[in-house]
Amino acid sequence: MFTLLTPSALLALLGLLVPLAIHLWNRRPGRTVQVGSVRWLAASANRRLRSLKLEQLLLLLLRAAVVAVLAVALAGPAWQRPAPPARGQVLVSPELLTSAALPNVRPLVDSLRRRGYEVSRLEKGLPSISAEEWTALVANPAASDSISYSTESSFLWARAAQAAQRFADRPVHLLTPAKLADLQGTRPNLPPNLTWQLIPTPDSGAWVQAAGLNGANKVRLLIGRSDEEKTTFQAVTVARPTTAGTLPVPGLPALRYETRANNQAAVHLVSDSVATPVQAPMRLRVYYTPDQAEDARYLAAALRAASSGLLVPPVITVSATAPSPSDSLTWVFWLSKAPMPAAWKLRVAEGLNWWQQAAGTGAAVAASFGPVGAETLIPILRRDTAAILPPAAAIWTDGSGQPVLSGRAEGRGQVYTLHTRLNPTWSGLPDSPELPALLLGLLQPPIPTPALARNDQRVVAPSQVQAAIQRSSNSAKKVPQKAVRPAPDTFTDLRAWAVLFAALLFGLERLLARQRPISSPLSPA
């Protein structure tokens, strides 16, 4: 659309009076004509007066056009292109795009598309989904249990807030699963332009959370089950097959047992391609010198109590004979004043866990500590005087913030240092009922978070999402917010073209002016 940036400059069009005045008043001088009698002069003069009119009309029009075009150039001619209307956005989470529940939302998405909404993925960059891609996704959604779980998927609060902020000038419709595990972090204040619809996904039923060998002929499985309200776990023991095959578990879909590279066994549901490795039992070795035999007795008792909380009981060996670095061990509890032998450092880097306690006489202190929920605090009577060197970090701390147990990573293993001793003259740890639970926290293998999050089907209450949007709307009434401006129109400046056109017209005017006759023919007397 053609427009003028400075319409008031059109007053320059008054300059059109200049060429008109020039043409009316620029009379050419007449010639002297010899006549025989003056009686013809009156009639000739009357004829010249009656023929008074604009001459060289084309030249007049060219000069007027030059003035008019220059006046328009001063007014700032421009071609205005209106900004495209802000289209609504439908943002679908990647988890829903790969879920069997995707066809259930197709009617809603298709209806919004017909109303002009654009469909995009609720992920980094918010890439759009074409009509062809959307049709293909709905026709063949990937199974929800075959996707790789990403930690970014669990922060829908932040993703929703970013999407609403980016499209603050248009309506936004979010479609995500209703899984509680996806709503991690702090609930934000969401703007009123956001509509968030939670889509229930099919229950996972059951899955294998962990697996371990329980003896030579049995496999211990930790079976997880989840529904909209809760997630539970159950440990079951089944016979170990001699070769790859199925594992019959009552009340559970068929399980498949496989042997892979390096004799590493794995088990998974036949309908689930994600396999859970079968772990061998942990092997714990408690080595002590005669001066710490009492400490070893307390530690062995606490380890046996802690093993009841593990899926597969570990193999615990207590001996006054030093272990060999070639032994297949998971933990070494080194109850000796001697430092770690150099041969063991390589084993720690390969994944061994090393435990050692205070050496020397230590210093008397009056401190106490206890885990969260402990009924009574554990007194600390003596502490070693050695300083903690980085990168060691405190794991257990007393009431004054001093470390009771510290740990540092060395390669794939860990080195733990107890800054007191498991001896009644050093601390209350030997007699504390909290010691097995404290040790279990160290022995317990980390729970595979992706497997748990992928199968956790507990749903969030829709009122939580609606409360976030409503609270944002109410707060907007109390705190003035800057209004969102629509996208501006785009303008293409045409002044240069107007000046160029005026120059072209001026050149034509000069060419025509040179061809103008010097005088006009007179009528014969």
Side-chain angles (χ1 to χ4, degrees):
M1 180 178 65
F2 182 80
T3 186
L4 297 175
L5 301 179
T6 314
S8 59
L10 288 179
L11 291 175
L13 289 175
L14 294 176
L16 291 174
L17 298 177
V18 175
L20 180 61
I22 292 174
H23 276 259
L24 289 177
W25 294 102
N26 187 18
R27 306 296 298 166
R28 291 183 298 276
R31 293 189 309 171
T32 301
V33 180
Q34 299 292 333
V35 296
S37 175
V38 297
R39 64 177 182 174
W40 308 107
L41 293 179
S44 177
N46 291 337
R47 236 182 354 260
R48 285 197 300 272
L49 289 175
R50 287 194 300 268
S51 65
L52 183 63
K53 60 182 179 179
L54 292 174
E55 299 178 354
Q56 297 292 326
L57 183 58
L58 181 57
L59 186 61
L60 173 61
L61 293 177
L62 280 175
R63 289 171 176 172
V66 170
V67 174
V69 172
L70 289 177
V72 172
L74 290 176
W79 185 259
Q80 180 181 5
R81 290 189 296 272
R87 301 179 63 183
Q89 291 289 323
V90 180
L91 302 177
V92 187
S93 68
E95 299 79 25
L96 186 59
L97 288 173
T98 54
S99 169
L102 182 62
N104 299 334
V105 302
R106 179 175 184 177
L108 173 61
V109 176
D110 290 345
S111 174
L112 292 173
R113 288 179 69 97
R114 287 191 294 268
R115 291 164 52 187
Y117 279 67
E118 295 178 327
V119 182
S120 304
R121 297 176 184 267
L122 185 60
E123 60 185 16
K124 184 177 181 180
L126 302 178
S128 61
I129 301 176
S130 63
E132 296 77 11
E133 184 182 2
W134 171 250
T135 303
L137 286 171
V138 175
N140 187 25
S144 59
D145 56 2
S146 65
I147 63 172
S148 59
Y149 181 80
S150 171
T151 55
E152 184 184 355
S153 305
S154 61
F155 294 95
L156 280 182
W157 284 128
R159 290 161 66 180
Q162 293 171 0
Q165 182 180 9
R166 176 171 175 178
F167 301 110
D169 58 338
R170 64 192 74 183
V172 178
H173 203 108
L174 258 61
L175 296 175
T176 69
K179 295 173 61 175
L180 181 62
D182 293 340
L183 296 175
Q184 303 296 323
T186 304
R187 184 177 68 181
N189 290 333
L190 300 175
N193 68 312
L194 181 69
T195 301
W196 193 339
Q197 188 166 350
L198 301 173
I199 309 300
T201 54
D203 290 350
S204 63
W207 72 97
V208 180
Q209 180 67 27
L213 295 176
N214 189 9
N217 301 319
K218 294 183 179 179
V219 177
R220 187 79 168 166
L221 304 175
L222 182 63
I223 305 300
R225 290 182 173 85
S226 183
D227 55 27
E228 295 182 356
E229 297 181 354
K230 62 185 181 301
T231 297
T232 59
F233 295 94
Q234 178 187 8
V236 297
T237 302
V238 296
R240 178 186 179 185
T242 55
T243 59
T246 59
L247 292 177
V249 179
L252 196 67
L255 293 174
R256 182 165 183 80
Y257 182 89
E258 297 177 351
T259 302
R260 302 186 174 182
N262 299 325
N263 280 334
Q264 176 64 59
V267 62
H268 63 89
L269 295 174
V270 173
S271 60
D272 188 351
S273 60
V274 180
T276 302
V278 179
Q279 304 292 343
M282 290 191 297
R283 302 180 64 87
L284 282 54
R285 180 70 176 263
V286 178
Y287 164 70
Y288 64 92
T289 54
D291 61 314
Q292 297 194 29
E294 187 177 7
D295 303 57
R297 182 170 58 86
Y298 286 115
L299 177 59
L303 289 174
R304 293 187 183 97
S307 64
S308 62
L310 299 174
L311 179 62
V312 178
V315 178
I316 303 174
T317 303
V318 182
S319 175
T321 303
S324 171
S326 61
D327 293 344
S328 177
L329 298 174
T330 312
W331 279 81
V332 171
F333 292 87
W334 188 263
L335 304 186
S336 172
K337 296 179 181 179
M340 179 195 303
W344 283 99
K345 293 184 178 180
L346 181 60
R347 289 292 313 277
V348 172
E350 295 174 349
L352 177 74
N353 295 293
W354 183 273
W355 168 291
Q356 59 191 26
Q357 57 183 16
T361 59
V365 295
S368 61
F369 92 103
V372 178
E375 297 182 358
T376 58
L377 296 179
I378 303 171
I380 304 298
L381 306 177
R382 302 190 69 83
R383 188 198 308 273
D384 64 359
T385 57
I388 300 180
L389 300 178
I395 300 175
W396 304 342
T397 57
D398 60 20
S400 61
Q402 295 297 316
V404 176
L405 177 72
S406 63
R408 70 178 186 272
E410 293 191 4
R412 292 188 289 119
Q414 289 280 342
V415 175
Y416 298 93
T417 301
L418 183 67
H419 298 277
T420 183
R421 283 177 52 177
L422 296 175
N423 190 291
T425 62
W426 281 70
S427 70
L429 283 169
D431 300 322
S432 173
E434 303 293 341
L435 182 58
L438 291 171
L439 293 175
L440 179 61
L442 302 177
L443 300 176
Q444 180 70 56
I447 298 177
T449 301
L452 178 59
R454 179 169 50 90
N455 294 282
D456 187 0
Q457 297 300 320
R458 291 175 299 167
V459 299
V460 63
S463 58
Q464 291 193 26
V465 172
Q466 297 305 320
I469 299 174
Q470 292 171 3
R471 184 170 65 250
S472 175
S473 177
N474 294 335
S475 62
K477 298 178 182 178
K478 299 177 182 179
V479 181
Q481 297 182 356
K482 184 177 180 180
V484 178
R485 297 181 179 179
D489 296 346
T490 57
F491 295 86
T492 302
D493 196 346
L494 302 178
R495 280 178 288 193
W497 293 99
V499 173
L500 182 62
F501 184 56
L504 179 62
L505 292 178
F506 181 73
L508 292 176
E509 185 272 341
R510 288 292 86 199
L511 181 63
L512 186 61
R514 288 199 183 107
Q515 298 176 358
R516 177 182 176 185
I518 298 177
S519 61
S520 301
L522 295 177
S523 301

